[in-house]
Amino acid sequence: MKAISLLAAASVASAHTIFVQLDAGGKTYPVSHAIRTPTYDGPITDVSSNDLACNGGPNPTTPSSEIITVTAGSTVKAVWRHTLTSGPNNVMDASHKGPTLAYLKKVDNALTDKGVGGGWFKIQEQGYSNGQWGTSTVITNGGLHYIDIPACVPDGDYLLRAEMIALHGASSNAGAQLYMECAQIKIVGGGNTLPAKTYSIPGIYKASDPGILVNIYSMSPSSTYVIPGPPKFQCGVSEGVGSGSGTTPQQPADTTTFVTSTTAAAAAPTPKPTCTASQWAQCGGSGFSGCTNCAAGLTCKVQNQYYSQCS
């Protein structure tokens, strides 16, 4: 019995994960470069805690003095690992299934802003479709979490919050395990549009949200999963419409309004007609809503029904 308990404890520990690196502009930056990483890979389970913004509390994070330059309209990759020294075969326990999400917050100084409070907007989400979870896609990709940076957002400092939610224990209150870290980035080559509505962290989730309090073991491949949080922001798309396939994301009551740039008061900017995915980026698959066109010289090749990539 003692041996079984030890094995169970080891399995739980191996399920934890950390957003350890950012790949941007074709370069994978070193571990913890421009990311406030913790040494412990534990989750946040209290969705009302300030630690939900950029981690901390039970998982103390270390400040970073770097900022990574990211081009608007490009695809970056959040690299997830079980620990700061793990490899691509040790990302997160496969039993810990749930959605992946990403948020941006425009800030005056990415080095000093704590992330707590308003100003956040969602830019990526993958929930559940035909039996496939967002976390499973990241594990299959060797820990790579693809995030499209909106082409229309203004230049400046931002916090990029990447998140994975494990729902294996989410049938009980505070059973969902939320993993997140914040990368410090500077967006260049952008436009002049921020979402009319932004959201507060904490505040984007409630403990009773159907995407947070859910029994995933009662779900079938055809079941609908409600991705938690606000709708995903998309350039040129009317806000208030959720982007999750077959889902209606929650609408948090706690919102903040950003004022769009006064230089474009007369007319909204023209969004890019198409976006392109870089080499090895995802370009298709069941439930995928990102770029489906590959960069010049690349072809979108089907790996399986859930995942296609540019090569």
Side-chain angles (χ1 to χ4, degrees):
M1 183 65 70
K2 183 177 181 180
I4 293 175
S5 298
L6 290 173
L7 286 173
S11 176
V12 170
S14 68
H16 297 169
T17 192
I18 306 175
F19 165 28
V20 299
Q21 293 170 275
L22 187 68
D23 181 300
K27 177 180 178 179
T28 302
Y29 289 84
V31 170
S32 300
H33 184 96
I35 304 175
R36 306 164 185 182
T37 54
T39 55
Y40 178 63
D41 55 358
I44 299 298
T45 57
D46 181 0
V47 296
S48 66
S49 168
N50 286 346
D51 301 324
L52 191 69
C54 292
N55 210 339
N59 317 307
T61 57
T62 301
S64 173
S65 60
E66 295 92 13
I67 295 177
I68 294 174
T69 298
V70 173
T71 302
S74 67
T75 300
V76 301
K77 288 170 276 191
V79 181
W80 292 87
R81 296 286 187 261
H82 167 41
T83 70
L84 297 180
T85 58
S86 298
N89 293 324
N90 191 8
V91 176
M92 185 182 192
D93 192 278
S95 67
H96 286 48
K97 304 179 187 299
T100 62
L101 311 99
Y103 295 81
L104 280 177
K105 177 179 181 177
K106 194 173 191 310
V107 296
D108 292 331
N109 188 330
L111 296 177
T112 59
D113 194 283
K114 297 184 182 301
V116 177
W120 291 98
F121 55 100
K122 184 191 288 183
I123 61 170
Q124 183 275 332
E125 59 182 13
Q126 183 183 354
Y128 178 76
S129 179
N130 297 321
Q132 176 79 356
W133 287 97
T135 54
S136 301
T137 298
V138 171
I139 293 170
T140 300
N141 291 346
L144 300 182
H145 176 187
Y146 291 85
I147 302 169
D148 294 331
I149 303 299
C152 61
V153 297
D155 294 355
D157 281 16
Y158 288 79
L159 295 180
L160 169 63
R161 178 183 180 275
E163 179 178 34
M164 296 215 287
I165 302 178
L167 299 172
H168 58 288
S171 59
S172 61
N173 189 51
Q177 296 183 354
L178 293 84
Y179 300 90
M180 78 299 296
E181 272 76 42
C182 290
Q184 299 162 174
I185 66 173
K186 180 183 292 294
I187 293 180
V188 298
N192 49 26
T193 300
L194 283 167
K197 286 185 178 180
T198 59
Y199 301 85
S200 176
I201 302 179
I204 51 171
Y205 309 140
K206 295 179 181 179
S208 59
D209 286 346
I212 298 294
L213 184 63
V214 57
N215 182 0
I216 63 172
Y217 303 107
S218 66
M219 297 173 62
S220 69
S222 61
S223 295
T224 295
Y225 170 75
V226 181
I227 299 175
K232 187 178 82 169
F233 171 69
Q234 298 179 83
C235 298
V237 176
S238 297
E239 295 180 44
V241 179
S243 59
S245 176
T247 68
T248 305
Q250 302 303 291
Q251 301 289 331
D254 187 2
T255 64
T256 305
T257 300
F258 266 168
V259 178
T260 55
S261 173
T262 56
T263 60
T270 301
K272 291 184 179 180
T274 59
C275 61
T276 57
S278 58
Q279 188 175 23
W280 312 127
Q282 185 175 1
C283 55
S286 179
F288 178 69
S289 59
C291 297
T292 56
N293 296 308
C294 295
L298 302 176
T299 303
C300 186
K301 297 181 180 179
V302 176
Q303 307 297 308
N304 54 55
Q305 71 180 91
Y306 306 112
Y307 184 73
S308 301
Q309 71 177 14
C310 294
S311 60

